[in-house]
Amino acid sequence: MTANASLLILHPRLNAYLKPSATAILHSLNHFSQTLNPSHFSLALNRNRRFAIPRLSLSQNPRNHSSSSSSAAATQISSLNSHDNGGGGRSGALSPPPIVEAPQKIDVNPPKGTRDFPPEDMRLRSWLFENFREVSRLFGFEEVDYPVLESEALFIRKAGEEIRDQLYSFEDRGNRRVALRPELTPSLARLVIQKGKSLSLPLKWFAVGQCWRYERMTRGRRREHYQWNMDIIGVPEVTAEAELISSIVTFFKRLGITASDVGFKVSSRKVLQEVLRCYSVPENLFGKVCVIIDKMEKIPMDEIKSELSSAGISEKAIEELLQVLSVKSLSKLEEILGAAGDAVAELKQLFSLAEKFGYSEWIQFDASVVRGLAYYTGIVFEGFDRQGKLRAICGGGRYDQLLSTFGGDDIPACGFGFGDAVIVELLKEKDLLPELSPQVENIVCSLDQELQGAAASVATILRQKGQSVDLVLENKPLKWVFKRAARINASRLILVGNSEWQRGMVSVKILSTGEQYEIKFNELE
């Protein structure tokens, strides 16, 4: 073995200066073939394979090796090591470079059924939510919110409910079953139970929250949406439902929607209860029947009859039930059921209150409206597009027995849910979408790079006075600044120039009129 070979083995710290290359490997092989007896060469190489002698060459300047040479050497090293039997030696003294995967392109679209909100869409969403909140304020409601992630059990109430099969649910790291909330009412019920007797009834609460349902998407229906809820807890009278419908009508009017655009179908689940009671249908089937009836506009009538029959409803009861559900007149319903029952009495009271509130032209009786959620117990209602192009715009009703399903004491309650997606589609249809441009009061620009700090001072003064300021952060020509001002609808342009600033002044241009003047920078209002 040569001195160089010994040096390589005994001084592994020199590996920092060793760069393998294909040329070096061949040079080493030639060197050893000349210095060793040819008959011993093969044996010597095999005995010393664990030292990887042929793989290394000593360089006086390791930086001279090109990356291509290193790459080729790494291939040669891998080839030699592939035949190694795993003998001793200093493993890891020289290892191949880590594999760096080339960046892969990702799908830039959001998950199916969800949305991004770039500035122009965010302006529309903010405008819509401001109207939700303003109407709620006008009616004396207080805002609340709940976790987006809730216990799965909160939403699994009755088998057969469509919402049960639409949950985004999973097991968390604590082995708890959780779900992204598909609606807000169960969370409201949970919070009311949690607060207990500390609450002062009646409660008038509203919320604007994000909800998730894995469902078939149609126009105005997504898997993620925002929902406006208003709920009244602690009022058993129909005045609560009348107040809620009035709030929705007020909202529509604010947006320019009229009674010729939208109506409300109103009924009561007590109508179904009275019909089913006549045919001795068990009370525990009531919720299941409501879920089936709610599909009437979605699936053929033969399938409705088949599902009702499978639920244990007799053929005669099915025929009577479907006959009642076809009724569109409250007087006709009274002929069938009589005036003594709660259903007719409550509905007549609601229509009377609608006249007092001033929205009687917005509502109509429709016995087929039952709502798909099992917890409704009395009056139910749906807002609908009179042209029939869109799904239900909103819906709600009374749910006096929801709290007991979670172990609490029942309290009279009613409320509604109003999604953001359908109303936007309706506004598009009616050409009522507002033009919402960005709006900034001031744009501040320095005319010299050295005055950037001075411009920042001016912006800070204005912001402290409550004014919005778009500060130009780069040294831009005036033509660019004027275009920027037009794009953000700035009211005025404030220019920080050298001569003016030396006098403690800035130039102000009112962009709507073209008026221009100078003012002390600390007197800006």
Side-chain angles (χ1 to χ4, degrees), residues 19-80:
K19 295 292 182 179
S21 69
T23 305
I25 292 171
L26 293 175
H27 175 75
S28 297
L29 290 174
N30 289 335
H31 173 72
F32 283 106
S33 66
Q34 293 171 4
T35 57
L36 295 178
N37 188 316
S39 63
H40 297 154
F41 177 75
S42 177
L43 178 61
L45 184 58
N46 288 333
R47 287 177 179 173
N48 291 289
R49 185 177 298 279
R50 60 181 176 155
F51 297 126
I53 294 172
R55 290 186 294 159
L56 306 174
S57 65
L58 186 61
S59 172
Q60 293 179 347
N61 186 357
R63 300 178 187 229
N64 290 337
H65 294 285
S66 66
S67 59
S68 59
S69 298
S70 297
S71 176
T75 305
Q76 294 287 348
I77 292 168
S78 175
S79 175
L80 286 171

Side-chain angles (χ1 to χ4, degrees), residues 206-220:
F206 82 94
V208 180
Q210 191 179 36
C211 299
W212 299 80
R213 292 190 188 187
Y214 193 88
E215 58 181 340
R216 185 177 63 86
M217 292 180 295
T218 57
R219 186 182 178 190

Side-chain angles (χ1 to χ4, degrees), residues 3 7 23 35 45 77 84 120 127 144 215 248 307 319 467 504:
L7 182 65
T23 305
T35 57
L45 184 58
I77 292 168
D84 198 353
E120 60 275 13
W127 170 82
V144 294
E215 58 181 340
I248 303 174
E307 288 193 26
E319 292 301 323
Q467 295 211 25

Side-chain angles (χ1 to χ4, degrees), residues 465-482:
K465 294 181 179 180
Q467 295 211 25
S468 57
V469 178
D470 181 36
L471 175 62
V472 178
L473 300 173
E474 302 172 88
N475 189 25
K476 293 288 188 179
L478 275 178
K479 184 178 180 181
W480 183 94
V481 175
F482 276 103

Side-chain angles (χ1 to χ4, degrees), residues 117-181:
F117 288 91
E120 60 275 13
D121 293 335
M122 195 66 193
R123 288 195 292 271
L124 177 61
R125 192 181 96 177
S126 297
W127 170 82
L128 186 64
F129 288 9
E130 285 167 8
N131 279 283
F132 287 158
R133 290 188 168 94
E134 178 59 17
V135 169
S136 301
R137 186 193 67 79
L138 290 173
F139 281 75
F141 283 64
E142 291 187 284
E143 186 167 11
V144 294
D145 200 4
Y146 326 97
V148 174
L149 189 68
E150 289 272 21
S151 168
E152 182 185 54
L154 195 63
F155 306 108
I156 300 179
R157 297 172 299 269
K158 301 285 185 180
E161 273 192 313
E162 189 179 36
I163 200 171
R164 184 188 181 103
D165 300 321
Q166 295 174 346
L167 288 178
Y168 277 90
S169 57
F170 56 94
E171 190 174 276
D172 69 9
R173 293 188 179 185
N175 300 319
R176 294 171 289 261
R177 293 295 304 175
V178 292
L180 296 176
R181 62 187 181 196

